Amino acid sequence: MSKKLDTPLSFIESISLKIHLAMCKSCAECDSQLLSIHTLCQKRHIDTSIKDTDTTQ
């Protein structure tokens, strides 16, 4: 599941993961949590980068 956050999955990998997540509620919840964490980390990185380039302070 974390691989799809780092690199595009092949068609077969993508379909296999979607089928598995449709059947496995635990993995679907884990996938959702990983996506949330990944999104928050990206947002934090962008916010930090903006602060680093802000020269008005």
Side-chain angles (χ1 to χ4, degrees):
M1 289 181 291
S2 64
K3 180 181 176 183
K4 75 175 184 170
L5 299 174
D6 299 326
T7 184
L9 298 178
S10 70
F11 178 75
I12 297 295
E13 289 172 325
S14 180
I15 296 298
S16 295
L17 180 59
K18 286 178 184 179
I19 291 170
H20 180 80
L21 294 178
M23 296 186 305
C24 183
K25 287 187 179 188
S26 295
C27 287
E29 182 64 28
C30 182
D31 185 56
S32 175
Q33 291 172 358
L34 282 172
L35 179 59
S36 295
I37 292 168
H38 183 75
T39 302
L40 288 170
C41 288
Q42 283 184 325
K43 183 178 181 332
R44 174 73 176 148
H45 177 73
I46 290 168
D47 289 347
T48 303
S49 295
I50 291 170
K51 286 180 183 177
D52 289 344
T53 59
D54 186 5
T55 58
T56 61
Q57 295 178 344

